[in-house]
Amino acid sequence: MSGHDHDHGTDPSDESSADRRNFMRGCGAAAAMAVAGLGVDSVAATEADLDALLDDLPDNWDRWGEDDELGALNLLGSEEAFAGMKAAMQRGPTGIERFTLQTPMTGEAIDALVGEGDAPTTDTGDPMFPGRTPARRDNAADARTAEPYPGGMQFSDDRFVTEFFLHGTTHMDALGHGWYGDEVYNGRDESVTAASKEFDHAVPGCVDGEAGEVNETHGHSAIDISPLADAGVAGRGVLLDVGRARGDDCDRLPLGAEVTLEDLRATAKAQGVELRERDIILLRTGSIERVTDPDTEWDPLNEPGLVFSEDLIRWVHDMEIPMIGADNVAVEKVTQSVGDHTFVLPLHGALLRDLGVSLNEILWLEELATQCADDGIYDFLLTSAPLHVERATGGPVNPVVLKATKPKKKRS
Ligand code: UVW
């Protein structure tokens, strides 16, 4: 089967589908990037380079105590929630609209992966970082099988029948999800990402990246997604629609476009919105919208995204930004040149690991952005919470925005 001539109706028992699934199963982001020519060996930077790059830049380690696992979300308290509510209420009681920001999971897109190094493309519907497989869902009960309970009620039921990567849809990263050197956020040893849990009977697990029966599973013993799930997020969100400010006819940035601090500032200015301390930043590039547009190319390893600069990191720190979300798979551009070196995902190091800033990826921003462009109001109340999955490195999320729109005409 060639690159893109599959459809959602492909028989899952089809041998070639199964092969593709097995090829990608659990191979992980690093392996997928290696296949795509972006492995550690193929780029100039080493671990020491990231240490050197970020050495003089601020961090938030110990700021909220040596046991802290919440990071910059500590900055979202009552006043920040009030700022968000004020933004939602700025045009009075009428016209407040709700927007949800999850990119839909089709539950049918396992055949997206068409060969070594290929990533989900426009016809799959489930965008995610290469190496993670879209999950397929199926009914466990429905009108074909359900037996009525006493009184007559019947139920449908369903579950994922293939692996569901917790980063494989709109999600928040645990602060310990990305690190460099041998320490994760707040100075904990990297071994917290690989804590073992033993079972006295075989359970489904992961053996060398492959699914299999195991007596031991692994997860985070700290800096997992749980603290973020328990705390939740509520604050003043600001949409920075760089896609509209700098983009093409469809208001999307081209593949590979770099988004700088200057772009964020210029976009805020053009939109007439003030960026305030402790704002949650939502960056729209237009990238994820490409996935659902059959006429457009999408490349998860070359999406438009935020790029590193010292000024950006200092600005995020000084502005006490608690969370940055974006409509791409990594918030930042995957590969970035800084000086003589190429870095892969350096902002995960500077923001997630060092500043404890939460990252929220694969957001669906199209409708929110269209409304903002229509009424010129780019700030709102943003609420969100990832699923509480113990020991997990990330959590699926469907954020909710409450946003003022144009005042409704009074009824006569
Ligand atoms: C990677 O791990 C590459 O991305 P994310 O932060 O989406 O989980």
Side-chain angles (χ1 to χ4, degrees), residues 29-52:
M33 290 178 66
V35 170
L38 291 171
V40 171
D41 294 344
S42 70
V43 295
T46 67
E47 196 175 278
D49 293 318
L50 203 49
D51 256 330

Side-chain angles (χ1 to χ4, degrees), residues 29 129 132 167 171 173 177 329 345 348 361:
F129 203 88
R132 298 173 179 144
H167 296 251
H171 68 278
D173 288 346
H177 160 62
V329 296
L345 300 171
H348 276 61
E361 289 138 339

Side-chain angles (χ1 to χ4, degrees), residues 46-85:
T46 67
E47 196 175 278
D49 293 318
L50 203 49
D51 256 330
L53 183 74
L54 305 179
D55 196 35
D56 292 334
L57 292 173
D59 68 62
N60 280 327
W61 291 13
D62 280 337
R63 178 171 173 182
W64 298 285
E66 60 179 4
D67 293 333
D68 179 60
E69 302 184 62
L70 194 54
L73 288 188
N74 278 293
L75 297 162
L76 291 181
S78 176
E79 287 176 28
E80 289 69 33
F82 188 70
M85 290 191 258

